[in-house]
Amino acid sequence: MLVFYKANLVFLSVPKTGTTAYEAALRPYADMAISEPPMLKHAPVYRYNRFVRPMYLKVCDTDLEVMAVMREPISWLGSWWRYRQRPFMAGKPNATHGISFDDFVLAYMKGNKPGFADVGSQARFLERQPNGTGVTHLFRYEDQPRLQAFLTERVGVTFELERHNVSPAMPAQLSQDVETRFRRKFDEEFALYDSIPTG
């Protein structure tokens, strides 16, 4: 999570959307950067609303605008599946070695998810709160030019990105049956993604 007080902006860090690279590039210009622990680095809207927003609201009389990035839902799960196949994950409970992408997504769709498929939800991460707190500026991970142009103008700096936390390169292709079931069960994820402006 990055806070730019003068720009009246907080950048929430949705996991697996490249935000670690943005944190590394923009940290020198941020007034506050939370990179540890993961539960605060990747604080969703509800946690930001409960812990960080009140601090700026009460002390600075400022209600920061919120920005975040969302990845296409199948691509997002594919990134998690590949990420948990890094060599050092071998033998760990959350590893996905030996698990096909179809089986990973089928496990994700269960009510009681096994540890390796328990990766949360982008829609829940970004969910607007009862008091109205929500994401003011939402960008598609796949639309990097629009995202970078917004940050350059809003924060007032130019920056270069380096790759961080890169997942192993391997195809993540769902069978048609599993994709259809996933799209039907998690239609709110796709609806939110499709609502994000492009261009």
Side-chain angles (χ1 to χ4, degrees):
M1 181 191 302
L2 296 173
V3 175
F4 305 96
Y5 177 71
K6 291 180 180 178
N8 191 42
L9 187 71
V10 58
F11 189 170
L12 298 186
S13 181
V14 180
K16 308 311 299 167
T17 62
T19 49
T20 299
Y22 280 94
E23 179 187 308
L26 292 172
R27 187 184 188 101
Y29 311 105
D31 298 295
M32 183 170 72
I34 303 176
S35 54
E36 290 290 347
M39 66 177 54
L40 290 180
K41 172 184 177 177
H42 297 296
V45 171
Y46 76 83
R47 194 169 289 142
Y48 163 76
N49 182 53
R50 183 174 180 185
F51 297 107
V52 180
R53 178 178 173 268
M55 177 172 60
Y56 281 89
L57 191 61
K58 293 176 182 177
V59 176
C60 307
D61 194 27
T62 299
D63 203 358
L64 300 170
E65 292 184 6
V66 178
M67 70 166 291
V69 179
M70 182 179 187
R71 192 168 185 160
E72 191 280 327
I74 295 173
S75 172
W76 185 71
L77 285 183
S79 183
W80 273 115
W81 174 70
R82 292 192 305 270
Y83 189 67
R84 291 185 167 183
Q85 293 196 37
R86 291 168 298 165
F88 82 88
M89 291 287 293
K92 296 184 178 181
N94 290 346
T96 53
H97 297 94
I99 298 170
S100 71
F101 188 41
D102 268 4
D103 287 341
F104 177 79
V105 175
L106 288 170
Y108 180 79
M109 289 194 285
K110 292 182 178 179
N112 186 20
K113 298 175 178 59
F116 68 84
D118 191 7
V119 296
S121 157
Q122 292 184 99
R124 283 196 293 275
F125 186 107
L126 300 166
E127 188 175 23
R128 183 170 295 276
Q129 298 304 290
N131 67 355
T133 301
V135 177
T136 317
H137 307 281
L138 186 58
F139 298 87
R140 293 185 180 196
Y141 168 83
E142 294 76 9
D143 191 0
Q144 291 293 317
R146 182 171 176 267
L147 169 59
Q148 292 177 30
F150 173 82
L151 283 165
T152 296
E153 180 179 354
R154 188 65 179 260
V155 181
V157 299
T158 55
F159 59 93
E160 293 186 9
L161 295 177
E162 296 180 1
R163 301 187 76 189
H164 290 263
N165 291 343
V166 180
S167 301
M170 56 180 58
Q173 185 68 43
L174 281 182
S175 66
Q176 189 59 57
D177 175 63
V178 174
E179 179 174 341
T180 299
R181 291 166 62 186
F182 176 63
R183 286 181 177 275
R184 183 170 58 243
K185 184 165 185 177
F186 292 91
D187 61 313
E188 74 280 0
E189 302 279 344
F190 291 95
L192 178 58
Y193 180 80
D194 289 344
S195 74
I196 302 172
T198 60

